[in-house]
Amino acid sequence: MFKTKPLSPQLQSALALVAAGVLAYGLLIPSLGFFQDDWQHIFYWNSRGSLGMLEFLTIDGRPTAAWCYALLFPILGSSPLRWHIFVLALRTLAAIIFVAILKILWPNHQARTALAGLFLLLHPFFILQSLAVAYAIHWASFTFLALSILLTMRAVQNPKRWLVYTALAILAETLHLFTVEYFVGLEALRPFVIWAVLTKTAAEQSPNPPSASTRSAFPFPYPGYAQTVKRTIQLWLPYLLILLLFLYWRTAILGGLGLRNNPMDFSTASILSALQNFLADAALVLVASWFKLVDPSALELTRARNFVLLAITLFSAILAYLHSRFLSDPRRQSPVTNYQLPPKSYLLSSILALLLGLAPAYAANFILHLKFEPWNGRFALAALPGAGMLAALAFESLFTSERTRRAMFAVLIGLLIGFHNRVGFDFKASWDKQVKLYEQLTWRAPFIEPGTAIITDQEILGYMGDYPTSFALNTIYSEASPRDDTKSLRPSPYWFFAMSENLHTDADSLIEGVTLTAKKYASTFEGNSRNSLIIVFEPEKNQCLWILRPEDAAYRGLPEQVKKAAQVSNLSRIRDQHDADPTLYRAIVPENPASWCFHYQRADLARQLGDWEQVIFFWELAERGGYAPGHGFEYIPFIQGYAHQGNWKQALARTKQSNRVSANMKTILCPVWEELAASTPESVEQDSSVGEAMEFLGCR
């Protein structure tokens, strides 16, 4: 029998992080798409390439982050799957490097550092992992920061390779600073790390002084406080110069352009606000966020997804328990070194990392607990290393016996992974609804005239918002719009307005005719309210997307504001044009025409075009496929289709079905039959059918 060599603690820790990352964030990746701020990145890249990204990111305050997207988009394209896999790999790599740093600083606490890495990776406060494109630069910056710190430590440990390691560390520092500013506060940890490694290395090597060749390559100090501090400053100086260059760039140059989140806005009042709110923010990150792990609704076994979540949680807990042997005797994982950092250094380092991680958010006047969840999670990204270290220390302090520690580790990891999958299912539901909107809209409106506003009563997509939805619609229809690389603020063809959010006018004004305008980043929109499409989209009620006609204003089942606005819904903005290249659309939206809504949307378009034969064709096709309407409103095109084709028997049958399926249908079916009486050729059958329908519905 061959004996396998046991895995090293470092490799075990790395594999555990990979497994935890896949279980927490990777299982649902094939079912996820793009959300909120992802969409402006997708839009600007696909509309103008690198120039579009540079223009957008300059207005967003991060022009130097364009290099990252210029590198990634040609590789990852607009495929959601590729972006999600890449960002998960990046986040996991950052956690692995973070653990490697801690193991150098505290080699006698291998279990604690492994815990800190897991808690960093799985921390419950940041739950925006599914925004893969938007946060790719954040995780890239975090990874470069961790790599830079690790290379700095290697430079101190290996004098012969000091120049190579230092050059690489400075390069990584430059990339992380000039990509995203979130982690600039953690740069203040670098001199402390240099001092700690310098002191440890000198103390461990003091019984055997370096050779002459080593000293000539890099004169290494012997233990001695003053000499160590001096050498620390010398080693830190090149990194400090890069940091000062970045601060000058971010404040004096970019700040002078009046861009977003200007650190120059930081004032005495900001400092006071930070001091007043730090404890609340710390409590939110370190304590309150962990209470989200247990949600009673997730234990209701009436939903299929809860069975899946429970299975993932239990499976993860079992794996965590099997892995928990590394907790059994944490001080025997590696030989005791000749020199150890002071016992309190871990706690002080954790607190300092937490403070410095939050500093950039406070500099931009952001207070975590005053911002909406989950969007406030991004402001604590740089605080996660400190939060993870403190969580590991608290875990070790609370659970001292081996049996209790292993059991609680399994429970905690299982709950964390189950929690992130619960969040993932919420994002999946949001993406499923997005897909339904995009596919049904393109079925119903293959081409929409530029300058068209799409209006509804309120936000209709979770984890989105009005301007992300606007960028999504412009992306989905981008092949149908002429590309213009010459204008910086080129007009956007379409914009999404929610009456409760960003419309800034009422339904009565829409009817009178007003100019609708919007501006976000490098995009502008201008259109007349009479060139709008009014929509209703509530698939959770088993309804398809409805693009309303002015005649639909009679339907009592519509919200009052929507009924008024429906009077300006201009269906002439829609054309049945199919000559656009669908490559981008197909890369993003997994379209599935095997549904009732496909048949309804195509029939509704045929109704608009007056092609009643096509309307009937799609009804019969739906019947053969076993599809039927989920709402009475969706029978109307087919009632009209059969009537215009002279098949009054079927028109009456569809009317009775419509009235039976949904309430308040009389308010819209009566006007439909009145219109049919006026628009179809007179005949005995017509007169009889109209009379029967009117009597059945109680229209007279």
Side-chain angles (χ1 to χ4, degrees):
M1 294 292 293
F2 292 100
K3 292 184 178 180
T4 58
K5 184 179 179 181
L7 299 177
S8 67
Q10 290 80 6
L11 184 56
Q12 288 184 41
S13 176
L15 292 176
L17 288 169
V18 171
V22 170
L23 287 171
Y25 308 110
L27 299 180
L28 292 173
I29 277 179
S31 303
L32 298 178
F34 297 133
F35 307 91
Q36 211 214 33
D37 287 350
D38 287 342
W39 278 110
Q40 50 260 38
H41 295 79
I42 296 293
F43 171 74
Y44 282 112
W45 174 263
N46 285 289
S47 62
R48 296 192 65 211
S50 297
L51 289 177
M53 289 303 302
L54 180 61
E55 189 174 15
F56 153 56
L57 290 169
T58 298
I59 294 175
D60 197 37
R62 301 188 184 106
T64 49
W67 76 268
C68 195
Y69 288 114
L71 179 65
L72 293 177
F73 265 110
I75 300 172
L76 304 178
S78 297
S79 165
L81 179 62
R82 294 178 189 172
W83 280 97
H84 283 285
I85 292 174
F86 172 76
V87 172
L88 174 56
L90 207 57
R91 181 172 185 172
T92 306
L93 177 60
I96 291 172
I97 299 173
F98 170 71
V99 170
I101 292 171
L102 296 187
K103 287 186 175 182
I104 293 174
L105 294 174
W106 293 281
N108 302 310
H109 295 277
Q110 299 285 310
R112 183 187 297 172
T113 58
L115 278 172
L118 284 167
F119 291 148
L120 164 67
L121 181 67
L122 303 175
H123 200 283
F125 187 69
F126 180 79
I127 60 172
L128 299 176
Q129 176 70 18
S130 295
L131 275 69
V133 183
Y135 285 96
I137 55 174
H138 297 72
W139 291 114
S141 183
F142 196 175
T143 303
F144 282 124
L145 168 66
L147 182 61
S148 179
I149 296 291
L150 181 61
L151 288 168
T152 299
M153 300 168 76
R154 295 300 188 194
V156 176
Q157 291 177 316
N158 299 275
K160 289 184 176 180
R161 298 182 180 177
W162 174 84
L163 183 59
V164 174
Y165 280 129
T166 300
L168 293 173
I170 290 174
L171 175 61
E173 178 195 24
T174 304
L175 291 174
H176 103 74
L177 287 173
F178 286 90
T179 300
V180 173
E181 73 283 356
Y182 276 40
F183 306 96
V184 63
L186 296 180
E187 269 297 318
L189 290 173
R190 195 183 297 268
F192 295 98
V193 171
I194 293 173
W195 176 83
V197 178
L198 202 58
T199 304
K200 278 172 51 65
T201 306
E204 292 167 3
Q205 293 183 356
S206 59
N208 300 297
S211 64
S213 61
T214 303
R215 286 197 299 269
S216 63
F218 184 82
F220 224 90
Y222 293 100
Y225 180 79
Q227 192 175 10
T228 303
V229 169
K230 179 181 178 181
R231 177 54 66 188
T232 298
I233 295 173
Q234 291 174 342
L235 296 177
W236 182 44
L237 187 58
Y239 304 100
L240 177 61
L241 292 176
I242 299 297
L243 176 60
L244 293 176
L245 176 63
F246 166 77
L247 293 176
Y248 176 76
W249 159 262
R250 190 65 181 85
T251 56
I253 298 179
L254 292 186
L257 299 177
L259 303 180
R260 299 175 69 226
N261 307 332
N262 184 6
M264 294 299 288
D265 295 337
F266 195 66
S267 62
T268 303
S270 303
I271 297 173
L272 180 60
S273 176
L275 293 174
Q276 291 172 334
N277 289 282
F278 170 72
L279 289 179
D281 285 347
L284 177 63
V285 175
L286 299 177
V287 182
S289 62
W290 292 84
F291 291 134
K292 297 184 293 185
L293 298 188
V294 179
D295 181 6
S297 65
L299 300 176
E300 296 175 355
L301 301 182
T302 56
R303 303 176 63 187
R305 89 169 206 174
N306 284 353
F307 282 98
V308 177
L309 287 171
L310 185 60
I312 293 172
T313 301
L314 292 175
F315 179 72
S316 301
I318 292 171
L319 288 184
Y321 185 80
L322 295 176
H323 176 64
S324 67
R325 289 191 298 271
F326 79 99
L327 294 170
S328 60
D329 193 1
R331 295 186 182 276
R332 293 183 183 175
Q333 298 300 318
S334 63
V336 176
T337 61
N338 295 327
Y339 177 86
Q340 299 184 57
L341 293 174
K344 294 182 179 179
S345 63
Y346 184 92
L347 175 61
L348 294 176
S349 299
S350 305
I351 295 173
L352 185 60
L354 182 71
L355 287 167
L356 293 173
L358 293 175
Y362 290 143
N365 297 304
F366 291 117
I367 306 299
L368 271 66
H369 72 279
L370 299 181
K371 294 294 180 180
F372 290 115
E373 294 185 6
W375 314 114
N376 59 349
R378 68 188 190 274
F379 301 124
L381 266 176
L384 292 185
M389 293 171 68
L390 286 170
L393 185 61
F395 182 88
E396 278 194 354
S397 302
L398 288 172
F399 309 112
T400 55
S401 74
E402 177 185 338
R403 180 176 298 178
T404 303
R405 183 177 291 170
R406 293 187 65 181
M408 291 308 301
F409 173 77
V411 169
L412 195 56
I413 296 300
L415 288 175
L416 280 167
I417 291 175
F419 166 73
H420 285 295
N421 277 278
R422 181 165 19 114
V423 172
F425 269 110
D426 292 339
F427 275 98
K428 177 184 180 300
S430 171
W431 178 241
D432 290 343
K433 189 173 183 180
Q434 282 191 69
V435 168
K436 290 177 182 177
L437 173 64
Y438 306 143
E439 63 182 4
Q440 291 185 45
L441 186 60
T442 53
W443 291 334
R444 174 62 183 85
F447 178 85
I448 302 175
E449 293 285 352
T452 302
I454 298 173
I455 303 174
T456 189
D457 61 330
Q458 58 188 339
E459 290 187 6
I460 55 177
L461 299 173
Y463 296 114
M464 286 289 283
D466 48 71
Y467 73 84
T469 304
S470 300
F471 283 116
L473 294 176
N474 280 287
T475 301
I476 295 302
Y477 279 97
S478 62
E479 291 90 355
S481 303
R483 179 168 173 164
D484 187 350
D485 294 342
T486 63
K487 297 181 180 179
S488 296
L489 294 175
R490 72 186 190 95
S492 292
Y494 321 106
W495 209 261
F496 173 80
F497 291 95
M499 296 183 190
S500 62
E501 301 294 331
N502 66 330
L503 185 59
H504 306 308
T505 189
D506 55 23
D508 293 327
S509 298
L510 293 177
I511 297 170
E512 295 173 5
V514 295
T515 300
L516 302 177
T517 61
K519 180 178 178 180
K520 190 67 178 180
Y521 301 118
S523 296
T524 60
F525 172 83
E526 182 174 321
N528 189 282
S529 63
R530 292 185 176 275
N531 291 331
S532 302
L533 295 175
I534 312 302
I535 69 170
V536 173
F537 185 56
E538 296 180 301
E540 58 275 3
K541 295 182 180 179
N542 200 25
Q543 298 174 193
C544 300
L545 167 70
W546 300 346
I547 298 183
L548 300 179
R549 308 168 302 153
E551 298 90 332
D552 296 327
Y555 178 41
R556 188 181 299 173
L558 298 175
E560 191 62 34
Q561 289 289 89
V562 172
K563 285 198 293 183
K564 289 183 180 180
Q567 298 176 54
V568 301
S569 191
N570 188 351
L571 269 63
S572 67
R573 310 293 292 176
I574 297 173
R575 297 208 311 263
D576 188 15
Q577 179 174 314
H578 297 279
D579 56 354
D581 180 9
T583 304
L584 175 60
Y585 175 79
R586 292 284 187 264
I588 299 175
V589 180
E591 187 180 86
N592 178 18
S595 67
W596 159 253
C597 289
F598 168 77
H599 300 81
Y600 169 74
Q601 301 299 351
R602 298 303 296 168
D604 200 25
L605 176 60
R607 171 177 65 167
Q608 175 192 329
L609 301 175
D611 189 345
W612 301 113
E613 187 176 344
Q614 274 291 98
V615 172
I616 303 308
F617 167 79
F618 280 109
W619 174 265
E620 294 174 348
L621 186 65
E623 278 194 321
R624 289 197 295 271
Y627 306 115
H631 195 283
F633 187 87
E634 292 162 19
Y635 282 88
I636 295 175
F638 307 101
I639 295 171
Q640 295 171 314
Y642 277 114
H644 279 280
Q645 290 293 98
N647 192 337
W648 293 100
K649 180 179 179 181
Q650 287 295 328
L652 279 170
R654 300 292 84 77
T655 300
K656 293 176 181 179
Q657 286 178 312
S658 171
N659 193 58
R660 184 168 58 249
V661 168
S662 301
N664 297 315
M665 289 306 300
K666 168 185 173 180
T667 60
I668 184 64
L669 290 176
C670 287
V672 165
W673 276 94
E674 290 171 0
E675 187 274 331
L676 288 174
S679 63
T680 56
E682 294 184 2
S683 67
V684 173
E685 188 177 5
Q686 182 231 39
D687 186 61
S688 173
S689 299
V690 170
E692 183 179 344
M694 292 292 192
E695 182 179 355
F696 168 75
L697 295 170
C699 301
R700 296 171 179 172

